[in-house]
Amino acid sequence: MEERQPELCRVEDALSILVGKWKPIILLHLLQEDTHRFNELKRKLPGITQKMLTKQLRELEDEDIVVRTVYPQVPPKVEYAISEYGRSLEPILEAMHEWGQNHTLRKNQKNKDES
Amino acid sequence: MEERQPELCRVEDALSILVGKWKPIILLHLLQEDTHRFNELKRKLPGITQKMLTKQLRELEDEDIVVRTVYPQVPPKVEYAISEYGRSLEPILEAMHEWGQNHTLRKNQKNKDES
DNA sequence: CTTTACAGTATCTTTTAGTATACTATGGTT
DNA sequence: AACCATAGTATACTAAAAGATACTGTAAAG
């Protein structure tokens, strides 16, 4: 981790791709089931607006995490899939999920102890 | 990662502790050198305001990541250290740093190719 | 007697992230 | 002729994060 220079840290670069109310869960869905159409994904994310979903997907596409395929049809058909490169985020998401699970347990335990 | 239910994902719980413009670098400094006084840390974070630093440290303290020790002296002396529990974040930060480093290389390469 | 260091708090403003709602084009269905 | 689904865009708004700036109390140093 550049032990001697936290200034050179690149944690933020990874973080910036993962943060947001919707990105982790979008990525988890895409990791689980490779291709999704726009509305299919939207249905799996209750509460998200079209604008938000479009924005998140464009940002992921810009970073080569997600691949967007447009089929020239009417009505439109657009498929989103995780890229090979995007899959390299899986261990990080996995580690965060495990840490988060443990953290939640810890907090619940703490609250129980206090009551 | 609860392969079948991204809805149950706890990635956000870990993420919420790590995100922000300052938290990762604060944690890296504390991981590297265990105890810091308030102003010592502030000097290592060019551009941060006192308010921000206080806020970030309080949040980390609330999650038991950081331990705050007040010495009843004048002028005040307060020390911040990472907790044992806080150290459990190290592998995640490490993984993100490595991913981020690679990602930065990838982007630079891409820009070079385009020019 | 003024200044400095320490570790903050109190207000206010700006920036960014996210939400709400309406609108587009096209073709097929009722 | 009206309506539905598709995958969006446009505009306006609210909430949350971050920044700027000024202030506090105490003791020691100059």
Side-chain angles (χ1 to χ4, degrees):
Chain A
M1 208 184 300
E2 308 294 330
E3 284 312 345
R4 322 242 145 266
Q5 288 137 291
E7 308 72 34
L8 298 181
C9 123
R10 295 267 78 96
V11 170
E12 280 297 346
D13 299 73
L15 221 42
S16 70
I17 283 169
L18 261 16
V19 287
K21 186 168 167 185
W22 303 104
K23 279 194 188 125
I25 195 156
I26 290 174
L27 289 171
L28 291 179
H29 279 292
L30 290 176
L31 281 166
Q32 179 178 106
E33 199 187 314
D34 194 35
T35 69
H36 283 77
R37 294 186 61 175
F38 184 86
N39 275 354
E40 185 183 354
L41 205 43
K42 184 165 181 291
R43 277 187 292 268
K44 289 188 177 178
L45 303 169
I48 199 170
T49 61
Q50 269 157 297
K51 189 192 166 184
M52 246 321 115
L53 183 52
T54 301
K55 197 183 160 222
Q56 305 307 308
L57 288 170
R58 290 289 187 286
E59 287 172 11
L60 292 169
E61 198 196 347
D62 289 345
E63 303 290 352
D64 295 330
I65 307 298
V66 154
V67 178
R68 178 171 179 261
T69 313
V70 181
Y71 296 85
Q73 310 181 343
V74 166
K77 177 177 173 184
V78 178
E79 276 185 353
Y80 292 92
I82 194 128
S83 68
E84 260 316 291
Y85 180 54
R87 289 203 180 274
S88 68
L89 285 168
E90 195 162 10
I92 296 178
L93 289 168
E94 175 71 32
M96 286 204 282
H97 171 68
E98 268 173 42
W99 194 94
Q101 239 178 354
N102 182 21
H103 189 65
T104 307
L105 284 173
R106 206 170 195 272
K107 271 164 103 168
N108 291 346
Q109 191 57 47
K110 220 180 146 188
N111 291 341
K112 215 199 276 172
D113 292 353
E114 278 164 12
S115 68
Chain B
M1 209 183 300
E2 308 294 331
E3 284 313 344
R4 321 243 144 268
Q5 288 138 290
E7 306 74 33
L8 300 181
C9 124
R10 294 267 80 97
V11 171
E12 281 295 348
D13 299 74
L15 222 41
S16 69
I17 284 170
L18 261 18
V19 287
K21 187 169 169 185
W22 302 105
K23 278 192 190 128
I25 195 157
I26 290 173
L27 289 171
L28 291 180
H29 278 292
L30 290 176
L31 281 166
Q32 178 177 109
E33 198 187 315
D34 196 33
T35 69
H36 282 78
R37 295 185 62 172
F38 184 85
N39 276 355
E40 184 184 356
L41 205 43
K42 186 166 180 289
R43 277 187 291 266
K44 288 189 179 178
L45 304 168
I48 199 171
T49 61
Q50 268 155 299
K51 187 194 167 184
M52 250 318 118
L53 182 52
T54 302
K55 198 184 159 222
Q56 305 306 309
L57 288 169
R58 289 289 187 287
E59 287 172 12
L60 292 169
E61 197 195 349
D62 289 346
E63 302 290 353
D64 295 331
I65 308 298
V66 155
V67 179
R68 179 171 178 262
T69 313
V70 182
Y71 296 85
Q73 310 180 346
V74 165
K77 177 177 173 184
V78 179
E79 276 185 354
Y80 292 92
I82 194 124
S83 69
E84 258 317 289
Y85 181 53
R87 290 203 178 273
S88 68
L89 285 168
E90 194 162 10
I92 295 178
L93 289 169
E94 175 71 32
M96 286 204 282
H97 171 68
E98 268 173 41
W99 194 94
Q101 239 177 355
N102 182 23
H103 189 65
T104 306
L105 285 174
R106 207 170 193 273
K107 271 164 102 169
N108 291 346
Q109 191 56 49
K110 220 180 147 187
N111 291 342
K112 216 198 277 173
D113 292 354
E114 278 163 12
S115 66

